[in-house]
Amino acid sequence: MTRVRKALVIGGGIAGPAAAMALQKAGIEPVLYEAHPQSADGAGVFLTLASNGVDALQTIGADRTALAAGFPTPVIALRSTTGKSLGETRTGLTPPDGTTSRTVKRADLYRALHEETASRGIRMEHGKRLVAVEETGDGVRAMFSDGTEAIGEVLIGADGVHSTVRTLIDPAAPAPVYSGLISLGGYTGDAAVDDAPGSYTMIFGKRAFFGFAIAPGGEVWWFANVPRSREPARGEVEAISGQEWQRRLVELFTEDAGPAVRLIQASAHQDIMKATAVHSVPHLPTWHTDRIVVIGDAAHAPTPTSGQGASLSIEDAVVVAKCLRDLPGPQALARFEALRRPRAERIVKQAARINSGKVAGPVGRLFRDAMLPLILKMVADSKQARQVYDHHIDWDDATRS
Ligand SMILES: Cc1cc2nc3c(=O)[nH]c(=O)nc-3n(C[C@H](O)[C@H](O)[C@H](O)COP(=O)(O)OP(=O)(O)OC[C@H]3O[C@@H](n4cnc5c(N)ncnc54)[C@H](O)[C@@H]3O)c2cc1C
């Protein structure tokens, strides 16, 4: 059986452009299709790329541009509602080459990845929302909502947590699980904080969770996770204005020690980004057919608590390209799932456990605040942490079926 020469990649978020670059490096022609008409700047304010994600970006030579917009944040300080220190957590381990995790605005990361793919001559078409796909024996035909079609030998679904490709592979695939949290955030250059540039603090508040990082120029990047038991309808929380969120958040954080209220009040309404309901995808019966596969959040979305969603997506992108380089299409996709599923699902599970600490009631809070310092001590530098952050993909190592 022959190797794949042309791949259709659906989704121009993080996994899609990374996969396109990795496929090109593997000698396969990629074409990217993104639903949004202009850019794929989605919901979510900023994210941490852990050291394993940075390492995967290095494999495809896309680390420099992608990371230039962000700054290193290797450690996160955790505090309780009273301001008491609960310990520190790492966003990665520092490997011998000194690569550390970085925090970067999501929109800047998207933009950088798009510029990088364009500079390599990779075709990306906007305004192409995939609605159907047909397997044709030796290839696939993709159909878009504007009535156009595209033909390739495989189709890679990098279309995020609410993936269409996932349901085209398996109409009975479980729906994403609502985490009980609404996430939003913003920016302000108008609030003085004592913390040094590069520092990152998270606060387990009485009624909601707050985090803030200080950018090198002094701008403060903040986010809030607000517990809400009823799952909102699609678009419901996105429709709430920045001004209304500002009012609600000030009320939610008013009893907590720390600068949350000050930072929220100092943010201009237009600098408070759209909120989003947080979902995860813990386990799918299958990730692929003979010619179609899902990668990134479409296959295994962890909650943002893990700080691993973007990094796992980039790892997937590199591995799926390697598999397609080394094996015929159907075997390649099966091998990809076998290689990636255990790691991805383990991390999604770990994130779900930590997530419950963010929605804890008064008793849970007491227990969490007592136990967290011990747990953090145990986890730091543990085998488990090393498996997550030290993960390295050897591009030159041949994939065997
Ligand atoms: C609030 C928030 C905070 C986060 N914080 C972190 C963090 O600190 N660290 C971290 O690693 N991760 C974080 N994440 C997760 C991270 O953003 C995701 O894991 C990552 O974006 C997944 O990349 P992806 O390419 O799989 O999906 P996405 O980035 O969601 O991209 C999917 C793309 O597919 C497009 N698309 C969707 N449907 C179709 C269709 N039918 N046809 C064509 N295109 C389509 C979308 O428009 C989008 O551009 C966070 C997520 C959120 C919501």
Side-chain angles (χ1 to χ4, degrees):
M1 240 187 281
T2 53
R3 300 283 191 274
V4 163
R5 282 156 302 159
K6 182 174 176 187
L8 310 180
V9 182
I10 307 300
I14 296 172
M21 288 187 266
L23 288 163
Q24 190 188 54
K25 186 176 161 89
I28 298 162
E29 183 200 344
V31 187
L32 264 168
Y33 298 93
E34 165 55 42
H36 282 278
Q38 288 305 326
S39 79
D41 298 356
V45 191
F46 54 92
L47 52 78
T48 306
L49 266 175
S51 47
N52 50 305
V54 176
D55 186 81
L57 274 176
Q58 276 169 351
T59 309
I60 51 172
D63 51 309
R64 215 173 39 83
T65 29
L67 301 179
F71 55 94
T73 44
V75 173
I76 297 174
L78 298 174
R79 299 197 174 276
S80 74
T81 171
T82 61
K84 189 181 112 191
S85 169
L86 297 175
E88 287 184 347
T89 181
R90 305 256 199 109
T91 57
L93 302 174
T94 306
D97 68 359
T99 307
T100 58
S101 303
R102 316 262 306 187
T103 295
V104 58
K105 288 183 184 174
R106 210 167 169 210
D108 288 343
L109 179 60
Y110 276 31
R111 203 169 302 121
L113 290 172
H114 287 185
E115 283 169 10
E116 192 65 37
T117 49
S119 75
R120 297 176 188 201
I122 293 170
R123 205 167 101 216
M124 176 159 176
E125 295 193 20
H126 282 101
K128 295 287 175 190
R129 179 170 294 280
L130 181 89
V131 288
V133 59
E134 200 176 278
E135 291 190 64
T136 57
D138 58 354
V140 284
R141 176 181 294 119
M143 285 152 265
F144 301 98
S145 59
D146 62 359
T148 57
E149 294 185 359
I151 286 173
E153 285 158 89
V154 290
L155 182 140
I156 299 176
D159 53 343
V161 68
H162 299 290
S163 169
T164 299
V165 178
R166 184 171 61 225
T167 47
L168 293 172
I169 289 175
D170 176 8
V177 177
Y178 172 57
S179 69
L181 292 173
I182 307 299
S183 184
L184 75 154
Y187 306 100
T188 176
D190 290 336
V193 275
D194 295 336
D195 310 58
S199 69
Y200 201 155
T201 306
M202 292 191 187
I203 300 164
F204 287 92
K206 224 173 192 169
R207 296 162 66 196
F209 187 82
F210 189 79
F212 66 100
I214 320 291
E219 188 181 45
V220 184
W221 300 5
W222 60 266
F223 75 89
N225 288 162
V226 178
R228 172 177 156 157
S229 50
R230 183 180 68 79
E231 180 175 1
R234 281 297 282 280
E236 186 183 336
V237 292
E238 288 82 350
I240 300 171
S241 69
Q243 187 173 12
E244 173 60 14
W245 272 119
Q246 194 174 44
R247 191 192 63 72
R248 290 190 196 180
L249 292 177
V250 165
E251 207 178 296
L252 278 169
F253 291 112
T254 198
E255 292 178 57
D256 297 329
V261 167
R262 206 153 44 79
L263 296 176
I264 294 160
Q265 279 173 332
S267 302
H269 297 155
Q270 68 272 17
D271 290 336
I272 299 178
M273 303 292 123
K274 268 193 188 141
T276 177
V278 176
H279 289 86
S280 68
V281 176
H283 176 81
L284 300 179
T286 183
W287 292 7
H288 71 96
T289 63
D290 277 356
R291 296 276 163 187
I292 309 169
V293 68
V294 276
I295 68 170
D297 272 12
H300 50 65
T303 57
T305 308
S306 70
Q308 280 290 324
S311 299
L312 285 178
S313 297
I314 302 163
E315 286 180 12
D316 277 1
V318 175
V319 176
V320 80
K322 267 190 68 179
C323 290
L324 286 164
R325 176 195 66 188
D326 298 337
L327 300 166
Q331 279 110 298
L333 302 187
R335 186 69 190 132
F336 165 72
E337 179 178 330
L339 285 171
R340 294 295 299 162
R341 185 193 275 277
R343 170 171 173 79
E345 290 189 351
R346 197 168 49 240
I347 290 173
V348 175
K349 218 183 240 171
Q350 282 164 10
R353 271 200 298 270
I354 309 170
N355 214 59
S356 58
K358 288 184 174 177
V359 289
V363 178
R365 262 200 319 266
L366 279 177
F367 180 73
R368 178 198 66 210
D369 292 357
M371 295 305 291
L372 204 57
L374 291 173
I375 295 168
L376 290 171
K377 237 183 218 139
M378 263 162 53
V379 168
D381 287 326
S382 66
K383 192 170 154 223
Q384 193 187 32
R386 293 214 162 271
Q387 276 171 349
V388 174
Y389 297 121
D390 277 358
H391 190 73
H392 174 70
I393 302 159
D394 185 351
W395 180 259
D396 297 323
D397 186 26
T399 318
R400 278 171 247 287
S401 58

